[in-house]
Amino acid sequence: MRRPNILVIAGHDPSGGAGIQADIESVAAQGAHAATVISLLTCQDTTNVYGVEPVTTDFFARCLDTALADMSFAAIKLGVIASREHVAIIADRLKQLPDVPLIIDPVLVAAGGGTLANDSVGQALRAQLFERATAITPNAREARALCDGDSDLERCGVALSQRTQHVLITGGDEAGPQVINRRYSDGQPGQRYEWPRLDGVFHGSGCTLASAIAAQIALGRDVGDAFEQAQHYTWQTLNRAFAAGRGQRLPARTTAFSS
């Protein structure tokens, strides 16, 4: 039995709440396989990020080349990327995979406020990879940062969708009784998805969602269906979230959920 391979490029979170471990669990729960290349190591817990150590550029390129030489991929998911140099390497290697769907979760800041990627990395992603992406999945804070601080999410969504095929702006970090996620395509006004807001603060929800989208697309769903299925799965993981440490709760990604 074969499963579609997803190439995941992201960071390592020792708490297991976000980053590579979240990606592996989320992809596996959809019925796909995650092959991973780590861009950076973090010192973090369920509360915040306290330090970041990028993987050296040469070793990062070697790891990526090794994975690409051995395996075929049905989708690619990017999480936090360490540097502009890493972005350039990824952009170059993606020339070998022109038809493979690319999902970008542009992780710039941790939920606790710690910085994971600096502004130059966000600019490099926007300049070199957004045009290649099938979808990007920023939260509201990241969407505003990618739109040079524009506070209007509708305007941000339309602007970002002119740079890439599809945009899903998540609203978990916004206020309100409902979580409102917004989809934008082809520079058009957004489609809204509304989800009941759950009590508490969660660690790794963005990684969970983006990886589920990548896996759903790899399994043959179109982008609209993948967005819906991945959001349903992610909400269920948050509804059953658990406290692994003293901070934010972690999504229960490894439990099987109905569609």
Side-chain angles (χ1 to χ4, degrees):
M1 183 177 69
R2 295 180 65 86
R3 292 184 169 201
N5 294 325
I6 314 298
L7 175 61
V8 179
I9 306 172
H12 176 255
D13 167 14
S15 79
I20 287 290
Q21 184 167 326
D23 298 319
I24 293 169
E25 292 175 351
S26 183
V27 166
Q30 315 309 308
H33 171 70
T36 59
V37 174
I38 294 178
S39 178
L40 55 81
L41 304 175
T42 69
C43 176
Q44 67 176 302
D45 57 20
T46 58
T47 301
N48 209 343
V49 177
Y50 308 104
V52 171
E53 288 288 341
V55 173
T56 63
T57 301
D58 288 346
F59 190 69
F60 174 76
R62 182 180 169 191
C63 290
L64 188 54
D65 289 342
T66 300
L68 291 173
D70 180 53
M71 306 171 76
S72 59
F73 295 100
I76 302 162
K77 185 264 180 178
L78 303 187
V80 62
I81 305 301
S83 66
R84 291 176 296 174
E85 290 77 16
H86 282 198
V87 173
I89 290 167
I90 294 166
D92 178 70
R93 301 313 190 267
L94 287 181
K95 294 174 184 176
Q96 304 173 31
L97 306 167
D99 300 320
V100 177
L102 170 66
I103 311 302
I104 301 177
D105 179 20
V107 183
L108 306 177
V109 178
T115 299
L116 291 169
N118 59 35
D119 289 343
S120 66
V121 175
Q123 292 168 3
L125 284 170
R126 185 172 56 181
Q128 299 182 54
L129 290 175
F130 277 14
E131 185 175 345
R132 166 67 176 79
T134 305
I136 64 172
T137 61
N139 62 30
R141 183 177 182 182
E142 291 157 349
R144 292 185 178 104
L146 292 166
C147 291
D148 301 317
D150 191 337
S151 62
D152 188 303
L153 281 181
E154 184 75 17
R155 216 163 32 230
C156 285
V158 171
L160 289 171
S161 70
Q162 292 171 339
R163 290 178 170 269
T164 193
Q165 296 178 47
H166 303 279
V167 179
L168 183 64
I169 299 178
T170 59
D173 55 335
E174 298 283 278
Q178 300 285 105
V179 172
I180 300 173
N181 299 334
R182 297 171 170 87
R183 173 189 175 181
Y184 300 88
S185 302
D186 302 320
Q188 299 300 312
Q191 172 186 349
R192 291 160 61 103
Y193 306 92
E194 296 189 10
W195 298 92
R197 185 174 295 278
L198 300 167
D199 292 335
V201 180
F202 305 99
H203 183 50
S205 57
C207 306
T208 303
L209 175 65
S211 290
I213 290 171
Q216 288 289 330
I217 290 174
L219 289 163
R221 294 189 185 274
D222 65 29
V223 171
D225 286 344
F227 279 178
E228 291 186 9
Q229 291 294 324
Q231 287 178 83
H232 175 79
Y233 164 74
T234 301
W235 190 90
Q236 294 287 354
T237 70
L238 300 180
N239 190 39
R240 303 185 189 188
F242 62 97
R246 295 179 294 176
Q248 302 150 5
R249 287 188 292 161
L250 308 188
R253 287 177 288 256
T254 56
T255 304
F257 302 112
S258 60
S259 298

